[in-house]
Amino acid sequence: DGQFVGNLRDELDSDLIFAGLFSAVVTAFLMESYNFLQPNQNEPIVDVLQSILHELQTNSNSTTNPNSPVEIETAWPDPRIYNILWFTALATSLFVALFSILIKQWLREYCRWSEAHGQDAIRIQEMRHQELLDWGVKFNVIVILPFMLQASVILFVVGLVFFLLQVDR
């Protein structure tokens, strides 16, 4: 049991370290991209300038169509796209960290010897081992956590591509 629990703890420690560092990186990008979610302060100015341009075109004898709207570039990709991806990646990473901590606490209790002696101590340890197998800690939960971290990295990279497209414009 000692080696088994030690291996599980090592895996969980790796997940916790990666999740913590990754969450810090994603948070830094979210802080930067949050500015793109703010309403455009220049939008009222653009509306006024468009109405002035329309009036000038209407009053002048130009050959342009006065009813043709002035095209203004809209932001593509929409900043909400990469912010949604990054918030999802952050939430997934924090979820992995939370479950890693919970499992580590459970493993600590699993290894704690009870105050019982003899047959009672053996029964308690056997019951805890059976619970470990029943809950599928090794095969279900701990195997899923690294995949969730990988999924959050993929979400982050896809969001980063959209963010770089936004910055490139």
Short mmCIF file of all heavy atoms in Angstrom, two decimals, residues 109-149:
data_model
loop_
_atom_site.label_atom_id
_atom_site.label_comp_id
_atom_site.label_asym_id
_atom_site.label_seq_id
_atom_site.Cartn_x
_atom_site.Cartn_y
_atom_site.Cartn_z
N GLU A 109 -5.71 10.31 4.83
CA GLU A 109 -6.57 9.59 5.78
C GLU A 109 -6.49 8.08 5.56
O GLU A 109 -6.57 7.31 6.51
CB GLU A 109 -8.03 10.06 5.65
CG GLU A 109 -8.27 11.44 6.18
CD GLU A 109 -7.96 11.55 7.66
OE1 GLU A 109 -8.36 10.65 8.43
OE2 GLU A 109 -7.31 12.54 8.04
N TYR A 110 -6.31 7.69 4.32
CA TYR A 110 -6.20 6.27 4.00
C TYR A 110 -4.97 5.66 4.69
O TYR A 110 -5.01 4.54 5.18
CB TYR A 110 -6.11 6.10 2.48
CG TYR A 110 -5.82 4.70 2.02
CD1 TYR A 110 -6.81 3.73 2.00
CD2 TYR A 110 -4.55 4.35 1.57
CE1 TYR A 110 -6.55 2.45 1.57
CE2 TYR A 110 -4.28 3.07 1.14
CZ TYR A 110 -5.28 2.12 1.14
OH TYR A 110 -5.02 0.85 0.70
N CYS A 111 -3.90 6.42 4.71
CA CYS A 111 -2.65 5.91 5.29
C CYS A 111 -2.59 6.05 6.81
O CYS A 111 -1.74 5.43 7.45
CB CYS A 111 -1.46 6.64 4.68
SG CYS A 111 -1.18 6.21 2.98
N ARG A 112 -3.44 6.86 7.37
CA ARG A 112 -3.43 7.06 8.81
C ARG A 112 -3.91 5.78 9.50
O ARG A 112 -4.94 5.23 9.19
CB ARG A 112 -4.33 8.22 9.18
CG ARG A 112 -4.30 8.52 10.68
CD ARG A 112 -5.15 9.69 11.01
NE ARG A 112 -4.47 10.88 10.48
CZ ARG A 112 -5.03 12.07 10.43
NH1 ARG A 112 -6.25 12.23 10.83
NH2 ARG A 112 -4.37 13.09 9.95
N TRP A 113 -3.10 5.34 10.43
CA TRP A 113 -3.47 4.15 11.18
C TRP A 113 -4.51 4.51 12.21
O TRP A 113 -4.45 5.55 12.84
CB TRP A 113 -2.25 3.54 11.86
CG TRP A 113 -1.35 2.88 10.88
CD1 TRP A 113 -0.25 3.41 10.30
CD2 TRP A 113 -1.50 1.59 10.35
NE1 TRP A 113 0.31 2.53 9.43
CE2 TRP A 113 -0.45 1.38 9.44
CE3 TRP A 113 -2.43 0.56 10.53
CZ2 TRP A 113 -0.27 0.21 8.73
CZ3 TRP A 113 -2.26 -0.61 9.81
CH2 TRP A 113 -1.20 -0.78 8.93
N SER A 114 -5.44 3.66 12.35
CA SER A 114 -6.48 3.92 13.35
C SER A 114 -5.92 3.59 14.74
O SER A 114 -4.87 2.99 14.88
CB SER A 114 -7.71 3.06 13.08
OG SER A 114 -7.41 1.71 13.32
N GLU A 115 -6.65 4.00 15.72
CA GLU A 115 -6.23 3.72 17.09
C GLU A 115 -6.61 2.31 17.52
O GLU A 115 -6.32 1.91 18.63
CB GLU A 115 -6.84 4.76 18.03
CG GLU A 115 -6.31 6.15 17.74
CD GLU A 115 -6.85 7.18 18.72
OE1 GLU A 115 -7.42 6.81 19.75
OE2 GLU A 115 -6.68 8.36 18.43
N ALA A 116 -7.24 1.61 16.63
CA ALA A 116 -7.61 0.23 16.94
C ALA A 116 -6.36 -0.65 16.87
O ALA A 116 -5.37 -0.32 16.24
CB ALA A 116 -8.66 -0.26 15.96
N HIS A 117 -6.43 -1.81 17.51
CA HIS A 117 -5.29 -2.73 17.54
C HIS A 117 -5.74 -4.09 17.03
O HIS A 117 -6.90 -4.45 17.08
CB HIS A 117 -4.76 -2.87 18.98
CG HIS A 117 -4.29 -1.57 19.55
ND1 HIS A 117 -3.16 -0.94 19.11
CD2 HIS A 117 -4.82 -0.78 20.52
CE1 HIS A 117 -3.00 0.18 19.80
NE2 HIS A 117 -4.00 0.30 20.67
N GLY A 118 -4.77 -4.82 16.51
CA GLY A 118 -5.01 -6.20 16.11
C GLY A 118 -5.97 -6.34 14.95
O GLY A 118 -5.81 -5.70 13.91
N GLN A 119 -6.97 -7.20 15.13
CA GLN A 119 -7.92 -7.51 14.06
C GLN A 119 -8.71 -6.28 13.63
O GLN A 119 -9.02 -6.13 12.44
CB GLN A 119 -8.89 -8.61 14.54
CG GLN A 119 -8.27 -9.96 14.72
CD GLN A 119 -7.91 -10.60 13.38
OE1 GLN A 119 -8.30 -10.14 12.31
NE2 GLN A 119 -7.14 -11.66 13.45
N ASP A 120 -9.06 -5.40 14.55
CA ASP A 120 -9.82 -4.20 14.20
C ASP A 120 -9.03 -3.30 13.25
O ASP A 120 -9.57 -2.75 12.29
CB ASP A 120 -10.20 -3.42 15.46
CG ASP A 120 -11.26 -4.14 16.29
OD1 ASP A 120 -11.97 -5.00 15.71
OD2 ASP A 120 -11.37 -3.85 17.49
N ALA A 121 -7.75 -3.12 13.52
CA ALA A 121 -6.91 -2.30 12.66
C ALA A 121 -6.81 -2.90 11.26
O ALA A 121 -6.85 -2.18 10.26
CB ALA A 121 -5.52 -2.14 13.27
N ILE A 122 -6.70 -4.22 11.19
CA ILE A 122 -6.62 -4.89 9.88
C ILE A 122 -7.94 -4.72 9.13
O ILE A 122 -7.95 -4.46 7.93
CB ILE A 122 -6.24 -6.37 10.06
CG1 ILE A 122 -4.82 -6.46 10.61
CG2 ILE A 122 -6.38 -7.13 8.76
CD1 ILE A 122 -4.42 -7.85 11.03
N ARG A 123 -9.07 -4.86 9.80
CA ARG A 123 -10.38 -4.69 9.16
C ARG A 123 -10.55 -3.26 8.64
O ARG A 123 -11.07 -3.04 7.55
CB ARG A 123 -11.50 -5.03 10.14
CG ARG A 123 -11.77 -6.49 10.25
CD ARG A 123 -13.08 -6.76 11.02
NE ARG A 123 -12.92 -8.00 11.73
CZ ARG A 123 -12.87 -8.14 13.04
NH1 ARG A 123 -13.00 -7.10 13.82
NH2 ARG A 123 -12.70 -9.31 13.59
N ILE A 124 -10.15 -2.29 9.45
CA ILE A 124 -10.28 -0.89 9.03
C ILE A 124 -9.42 -0.63 7.80
O ILE A 124 -9.86 0.01 6.84
CB ILE A 124 -9.92 0.06 10.19
CG1 ILE A 124 -10.98 -0.01 11.27
CG2 ILE A 124 -9.75 1.50 9.69
CD1 ILE A 124 -10.62 0.74 12.54
N GLN A 125 -8.19 -1.14 7.80
CA GLN A 125 -7.31 -0.93 6.66
C GLN A 125 -7.86 -1.63 5.42
O GLN A 125 -7.80 -1.08 4.32
CB GLN A 125 -5.89 -1.42 6.98
CG GLN A 125 -4.85 -1.01 5.98
CD GLN A 125 -4.70 0.51 5.88
OE1 GLN A 125 -4.99 1.25 6.79
NE2 GLN A 125 -4.25 0.95 4.74
N GLU A 126 -8.41 -2.81 5.58
CA GLU A 126 -9.00 -3.53 4.46
C GLU A 126 -10.22 -2.79 3.91
O GLU A 126 -10.43 -2.70 2.70
CB GLU A 126 -9.39 -4.96 4.87
CG GLU A 126 -10.03 -5.77 3.77
CD GLU A 126 -9.13 -5.95 2.54
OE1 GLU A 126 -7.89 -5.97 2.67
OE2 GLU A 126 -9.69 -6.05 1.44
N MET A 127 -11.03 -2.24 4.83
CA MET A 127 -12.20 -1.46 4.41
C MET A 127 -11.77 -0.22 3.62
O MET A 127 -12.35 0.09 2.57
CB MET A 127 -13.01 -1.03 5.64
CG MET A 127 -14.26 -0.24 5.29
SD MET A 127 -15.09 0.41 6.75
CE MET A 127 -13.92 1.63 7.33
N ARG A 128 -10.73 0.44 4.08
CA ARG A 128 -10.24 1.63 3.37
C ARG A 128 -9.68 1.24 1.99
O ARG A 128 -9.90 1.97 1.02
CB ARG A 128 -9.16 2.33 4.20
CG ARG A 128 -9.72 3.05 5.39
CD ARG A 128 -8.63 3.73 6.17
NE ARG A 128 -9.18 4.46 7.31
CZ ARG A 128 -8.46 5.00 8.25
NH1 ARG A 128 -7.14 4.92 8.21
NH2 ARG A 128 -9.04 5.63 9.25
N HIS A 129 -8.99 0.13 1.93
CA HIS A 129 -8.46 -0.32 0.64
C HIS A 129 -9.60 -0.66 -0.31
O HIS A 129 -9.54 -0.33 -1.50
CB HIS A 129 -7.54 -1.54 0.84
CG HIS A 129 -6.92 -2.01 -0.44
ND1 HIS A 129 -5.93 -1.30 -1.07
CD2 HIS A 129 -7.17 -3.09 -1.21
CE1 HIS A 129 -5.58 -1.93 -2.16
NE2 HIS A 129 -6.32 -3.02 -2.29
N GLN A 130 -10.64 -1.30 0.18
CA GLN A 130 -11.79 -1.62 -0.66
C GLN A 130 -12.48 -0.35 -1.14
O GLN A 130 -12.91 -0.27 -2.29
CB GLN A 130 -12.78 -2.52 0.10
CG GLN A 130 -13.88 -3.09 -0.78
CD GLN A 130 -13.33 -3.93 -1.92
OE1 GLN A 130 -12.40 -4.72 -1.75
NE2 GLN A 130 -13.90 -3.73 -3.10
N GLU A 131 -12.58 0.65 -0.27
CA GLU A 131 -13.16 1.94 -0.67
C GLU A 131 -12.32 2.60 -1.76
O GLU A 131 -12.85 3.20 -2.69
CB GLU A 131 -13.28 2.87 0.53
CG GLU A 131 -14.37 2.48 1.50
CD GLU A 131 -14.32 3.33 2.76
OE1 GLU A 131 -13.40 4.15 2.92
OE2 GLU A 131 -15.22 3.15 3.60
N LEU A 132 -11.01 2.50 -1.64
CA LEU A 132 -10.12 3.04 -2.66
C LEU A 132 -10.41 2.40 -4.01
O LEU A 132 -10.49 3.09 -5.03
CB LEU A 132 -8.66 2.80 -2.25
CG LEU A 132 -7.58 3.34 -3.17
CD1 LEU A 132 -7.48 4.84 -3.01
CD2 LEU A 132 -6.25 2.70 -2.86
N LEU A 133 -10.60 1.10 -4.02
CA LEU A 133 -10.90 0.40 -5.27
C LEU A 133 -12.32 0.71 -5.74
O LEU A 133 -12.55 0.90 -6.95
CB LEU A 133 -10.73 -1.11 -5.08
CG LEU A 133 -9.30 -1.58 -4.75
CD1 LEU A 133 -9.29 -3.08 -4.50
CD2 LEU A 133 -8.34 -1.19 -5.85
N ASP A 134 -13.27 0.77 -4.81
CA ASP A 134 -14.67 1.04 -5.18
C ASP A 134 -14.82 2.43 -5.81
O ASP A 134 -15.57 2.60 -6.76
CB ASP A 134 -15.59 0.92 -3.97
CG ASP A 134 -15.78 -0.51 -3.51
OD1 ASP A 134 -15.40 -1.44 -4.28
OD2 ASP A 134 -16.27 -0.71 -2.38
N TRP A 135 -14.15 3.40 -5.24
CA TRP A 135 -14.25 4.76 -5.77
C TRP A 135 -13.48 4.92 -7.07
O TRP A 135 -13.65 5.91 -7.77
CB TRP A 135 -13.75 5.76 -4.74
CG TRP A 135 -14.78 6.10 -3.72
CD1 TRP A 135 -15.06 5.40 -2.60
CD2 TRP A 135 -15.67 7.19 -3.75
NE1 TRP A 135 -16.08 6.00 -1.91
CE2 TRP A 135 -16.48 7.11 -2.61
CE3 TRP A 135 -15.87 8.24 -4.64
CZ2 TRP A 135 -17.47 8.03 -2.32
CZ3 TRP A 135 -16.85 9.17 -4.34
CH2 TRP A 135 -17.64 9.05 -3.21
N GLY A 136 -12.65 3.97 -7.40
CA GLY A 136 -11.89 4.06 -8.64
C GLY A 136 -10.89 5.19 -8.64
O GLY A 136 -10.66 5.82 -9.67
N VAL A 137 -10.30 5.47 -7.49
CA VAL A 137 -9.37 6.59 -7.39
C VAL A 137 -8.23 6.44 -8.38
O VAL A 137 -7.88 7.36 -9.10
CB VAL A 137 -8.85 6.74 -5.94
CG1 VAL A 137 -7.72 7.75 -5.87
CG2 VAL A 137 -9.98 7.14 -5.03
N LYS A 138 -7.64 5.27 -8.46
CA LYS A 138 -6.49 5.09 -9.33
C LYS A 138 -6.88 5.09 -10.80
O LYS A 138 -6.27 5.76 -11.63
CB LYS A 138 -5.78 3.77 -8.97
CG LYS A 138 -4.67 3.38 -9.92
CD LYS A 138 -3.55 4.37 -9.94
CE LYS A 138 -2.45 3.92 -10.90
NZ LYS A 138 -1.62 4.99 -11.29
N PHE A 139 -7.91 4.36 -11.14
CA PHE A 139 -8.17 4.14 -12.55
C PHE A 139 -9.14 5.15 -13.15
O PHE A 139 -9.07 5.44 -14.32
CB PHE A 139 -8.68 2.71 -12.76
CG PHE A 139 -7.71 1.69 -12.27
CD1 PHE A 139 -7.95 0.98 -11.11
CD2 PHE A 139 -6.52 1.47 -12.94
CE1 PHE A 139 -7.04 0.05 -10.65
CE2 PHE A 139 -5.60 0.56 -12.48
CZ PHE A 139 -5.86 -0.16 -11.33
N ASN A 140 -10.03 5.67 -12.37
CA ASN A 140 -11.00 6.61 -12.92
C ASN A 140 -10.59 8.06 -12.71
O ASN A 140 -10.47 8.83 -13.65
CB ASN A 140 -12.39 6.38 -12.30
CG ASN A 140 -12.94 5.03 -12.67
OD1 ASN A 140 -12.57 4.45 -13.67
ND2 ASN A 140 -13.82 4.51 -11.84
N VAL A 141 -10.36 8.42 -11.48
CA VAL A 141 -10.16 9.82 -11.15
C VAL A 141 -8.76 10.30 -11.52
O VAL A 141 -8.59 11.30 -12.22
CB VAL A 141 -10.45 10.07 -9.65
CG1 VAL A 141 -10.20 11.50 -9.28
CG2 VAL A 141 -11.87 9.66 -9.32
N ILE A 142 -7.75 9.60 -11.07
CA ILE A 142 -6.38 10.07 -11.26
C ILE A 142 -5.96 10.02 -12.72
O ILE A 142 -5.18 10.85 -13.18
CB ILE A 142 -5.41 9.31 -10.34
CG1 ILE A 142 -5.74 9.68 -8.90
CG2 ILE A 142 -3.97 9.61 -10.67
CD1 ILE A 142 -4.81 9.19 -7.87
N VAL A 143 -6.50 9.10 -13.48
CA VAL A 143 -6.17 9.03 -14.90
C VAL A 143 -6.84 10.17 -15.67
O VAL A 143 -6.28 10.69 -16.63
CB VAL A 143 -6.60 7.65 -15.48
CG1 VAL A 143 -6.49 7.62 -16.97
CG2 VAL A 143 -5.75 6.55 -14.86
N ILE A 144 -8.00 10.60 -15.21
CA ILE A 144 -8.73 11.66 -15.90
C ILE A 144 -8.09 13.04 -15.67
O ILE A 144 -8.11 13.88 -16.57
CB ILE A 144 -10.20 11.66 -15.45
CG1 ILE A 144 -10.90 10.43 -16.00
CG2 ILE A 144 -10.93 12.91 -15.88
CD1 ILE A 144 -12.30 10.24 -15.52
N LEU A 145 -7.51 13.26 -14.52
CA LEU A 145 -6.98 14.58 -14.19
C LEU A 145 -5.93 15.09 -15.19
O LEU A 145 -6.02 16.23 -15.65
CB LEU A 145 -6.44 14.60 -12.76
CG LEU A 145 -7.48 14.40 -11.66
CD1 LEU A 145 -6.82 14.38 -10.30
CD2 LEU A 145 -8.56 15.45 -11.73
N PRO A 146 -4.92 14.29 -15.58
CA PRO A 146 -3.98 14.80 -16.59
C PRO A 146 -4.63 15.09 -17.94
O PRO A 146 -4.25 16.04 -18.62
CB PRO A 146 -2.94 13.67 -16.72
CG PRO A 146 -3.04 12.91 -15.46
CD PRO A 146 -4.47 13.01 -15.02
N PHE A 147 -5.64 14.30 -18.31
CA PHE A 147 -6.34 14.57 -19.57
C PHE A 147 -7.11 15.88 -19.50
O PHE A 147 -7.19 16.61 -20.49
CB PHE A 147 -7.28 13.41 -19.92
CG PHE A 147 -6.56 12.17 -20.37
CD1 PHE A 147 -6.75 10.99 -19.69
CD2 PHE A 147 -5.70 12.18 -21.45
CE1 PHE A 147 -6.08 9.84 -20.08
CE2 PHE A 147 -5.03 11.05 -21.85
CZ PHE A 147 -5.22 9.87 -21.17
N MET A 148 -7.64 16.17 -18.33
CA MET A 148 -8.32 17.46 -18.17
C MET A 148 -7.33 18.61 -18.27
O MET A 148 -7.64 19.65 -18.87
CB MET A 148 -9.07 17.48 -16.84
CG MET A 148 -10.27 16.56 -16.80
SD MET A 148 -11.09 16.54 -15.20
CE MET A 148 -11.77 18.18 -15.16
N LEU A 149 -6.15 18.43 -17.73
CA LEU A 149 -5.11 19.46 -17.86
C LEU A 149 -4.70 19.63 -19.32
O LEU A 149 -4.50 20.75 -19.80
CB LEU A 149 -3.90 19.12 -17.01
CG LEU A 149 -4.02 19.39 -15.52
CD1 LEU A 149 -2.81 18.88 -14.77
CD2 LEU A 149 -4.23 20.87 -15.26
#
